[in-house]
Amino acid sequence: MNSKIILTGDRPTGKLHIGHYVGSLKNRIECQNSGKYDIIFIMIANAQALTDNFKSPEKVCESVIEVAKDYLAIGLDPKKCTMFVQSEIPELTELTFYYMNLVTLERLKRNPTVKQELAQKNFGTGLPVGFLCYPISQCADITAFEANIVPVGEDQLPMLEQTREIVRSFNAIYGDTLIEPTALLPSKTCMRLPGLDGKSKMSKSLGNCIYLADTPEEIKTKVFSMYTDPEHVHVADAGKIEGNMVFTYLDVFCTQEHLKRFLPEYSNLEDLKNHYKRGGLGDVTIKNLLAKILIDIISPISQKRLTITNEQVLDVLKKGNIIARQKASETLKKVKHAMKLDMFNN
Ligand code: TRP
């Protein structure tokens, strides 16, 4: 039977937040602890982060450490998964170069995630080629490790589609060499958590995040600044649930057990919503509930994070880099053999 190999990763552009947590990190922990997978690679994609942050190398460099700390704090275990840094694996760049032949400019420009990102950023002087090509480099990331399973948030589906196209095209031209991967999406309904302000996505650049490193006080302040229903002015007013970020978050994070512990007078979330809709339930009550839940989830992570040193992180990554590089170089050898680029090796 084929082994089950996972590869996934994040761009280091800041600390990770609860959007990452529900969108992908929780899923990774479950994968790691399920025992269902043979090998798990988790990559800090610093080279990819530079494609739209090439003028901020310090930020990307610092964020490598921050993200690795977040990984260890949420419970990713170096004994069970290989955490490594993209730029330490030069084989990925070489693979990217060969894959570039297999993708057209038109195809790259059609990628919906890239399109959305382009609309958000303003590359003043024009579109850098490196940014447009990152989906090709992502294909190198995935195929170099012969990953057949890629746990990601839904915004990464276009990258998986692009990867599959390159794999098929490569195998058709050069013979069966690369493995076609599938995405593994998170199970919970809310895969893309909106920001505190209700804007499309929780994102550092929009300043609407709760970080895994936030203290209980910070979490509380942020929750109390959240967008609810602007027409719900007095406690007695009838309130709206749709578009009310506090309820959007409660839908994602509030379990039956949380409700029992923090607001036992309601038997389920529906009861709470109905009360809010009828009127008589104030924003303070629902915000307090959400703050308590988020503190309950995040404080064990932020506490553990404080105990992790930079040396410890560097040590984990160095060991990971060695293992990852070994695997990527084996794949590169196969690729060069298939492409008849190995005439000087015997
Ligand atoms: N594009 C991903 C992100 O923005 C990061 C990433 C890079 C990745 N290479 C990958 C994810 C390979 C999965 C597989 O978060």
Side-chain angles (χ1 to χ4, degrees):
M1 225 189 59
N2 278 346
S3 39
K4 288 188 173 174
I5 304 180
I6 283 183
L7 174 113
T8 187
D10 301 280
R11 287 184 200 175
T13 55
K15 290 176 288 199
L16 299 178
H17 52 62
I18 56 169
H20 295 116
Y21 187 69
V22 288
S24 58
L25 301 175
K26 233 173 121 202
N27 198 15
R28 281 183 212 170
I29 302 289
E30 282 160 21
C31 288
Q32 172 191 272
N33 296 336
S34 72
K36 281 198 232 157
Y37 302 96
D38 300 293
I39 311 178
I40 303 179
F41 290 103
I42 313 263
M43 183 183 76
I44 303 183
N46 61 342
Q48 186 177 114
L50 282 169
T51 63
D52 61 335
N53 290 277
F54 55 88
K55 289 183 186 158
S56 318
E58 328 64 35
K59 179 178 94 176
V60 173
C61 173
E62 281 161 24
S63 303
V64 169
I65 304 290
E66 298 296 340
V67 168
K69 282 189 180 175
D70 286 321
Y71 284 172
L72 297 176
I74 60 162
L76 287 176
D77 178 354
K79 291 196 209 77
K80 296 183 183 154
C81 60
T82 299
M83 290 169 255
F84 70 98
V85 177
Q86 188 179 29
S87 63
E88 290 299 305
I89 320 296
E91 288 77 7
L92 298 175
T93 326
E94 203 170 331
L95 288 172
T96 303
F97 191 69
Y98 299 137
Y99 297 166
M100 281 180 168
N101 299 329
L102 308 176
V103 185
T104 65
L105 189 56
E106 293 68 28
R107 173 64 182 92
L108 290 171
K109 286 187 176 163
R110 272 204 312 273
N111 184 311
T113 299
V114 171
K115 267 196 196 162
Q116 203 181 22
E117 287 169 318
L118 285 176
Q120 277 170 9
K121 302 177 201 307
N122 33 26
F123 287 119
T125 49
L127 172 54
V129 174
F131 183 77
L132 193 65
C133 290
Y134 90 73
I136 305 180
S137 111
Q138 194 153 334
C139 172
D141 303 336
I142 295 168
T143 54
F145 299 94
E146 302 194 307
N148 37 19
I149 299 146
V150 184
V152 279
E154 59 169 349
D155 62 318
Q156 296 298 304
L157 290 178
M159 309 310 154
L160 265 290
E161 202 42 53
Q162 175 71 83
T163 297
R164 278 194 293 270
E165 283 176 31
I166 295 172
V167 168
R168 281 184 218 133
S169 157
F170 188 100
N171 289 347
I173 299 169
Y174 304 109
D176 246 349
T177 311
L178 302 175
I179 310 283
E180 207 172 311
T182 47
L184 183 68
L185 290 170
S187 44
K188 185 93 189 189
T189 39
C190 182
M191 296 192 284
R192 193 181 298 198
L193 193 70
L196 295 169
D197 52 1
K199 295 253 169 64
S200 67
K201 185 171 163 178
M202 188 169 273
S203 115
K204 188 184 165 74
S205 50
L206 298 173
N208 58 8
C209 307
I210 293 180
Y211 294 100
L212 298 176
D214 279 352
T215 63
E217 296 70 42
E218 285 168 324
I219 296 170
K220 195 159 179 199
T221 309
K222 288 180 181 179
V223 168
F224 273 78
S225 78
M226 274 175 88
Y227 184 88
T228 56
D229 170 5
E231 280 158 39
H232 184 255
V233 183
H234 305 290
V235 173
D237 293 346
K240 270 206 218 69
I241 305 294
E242 302 77 41
N244 184 325
M245 283 306 113
V246 176
F247 281 104
T248 305
Y249 279 40
L250 285 172
D251 275 333
V252 177
F253 294 100
C254 180
T255 63
Q256 203 60 32
E257 192 262 332
H258 284 132
L259 209 55
K260 219 191 226 162
R261 193 142 50 104
F262 300 130
L263 262 191
E265 52 272 43
Y266 297 91
S267 53
N268 56 46
L269 203 49
E270 271 326 289
D271 273 2
L272 187 75
K273 287 183 185 170
N274 287 333
H275 192 180
Y276 193 83
K277 283 196 264 190
R278 278 200 306 276
L281 178 60
D283 280 356
V284 172
T285 308
I286 57 167
K287 285 184 169 176
N288 257 324
L289 171 65
L290 178 61
K292 283 183 185 164
I293 293 171
L294 291 179
I295 291 167
D296 187 63
I297 297 171
I298 297 166
S299 59
I301 300 174
S302 63
Q303 287 295 320
K304 181 161 175 208
R305 202 179 185 283
L306 289 174
T307 68
I308 302 166
T309 64
N310 287 13
E311 290 67 39
Q312 220 176 320
V313 161
L314 288 172
D315 187 56
V316 167
L317 295 177
K318 267 189 209 158
K319 290 181 175 140
N321 292 340
I322 294 170
I323 299 171
R325 187 146 189 214
Q326 177 63 34
K327 178 75 183 171
S329 73
E330 284 163 21
T331 304
L332 180 63
K333 258 193 213 130
K334 292 185 202 170
V335 163
K336 291 180 79 168
H337 176 71
M339 296 180 78
K340 311 226 174 294
L341 292 170
D342 61 347
M343 60 187 180
F344 294 104
N345 312 335
N346 18 13

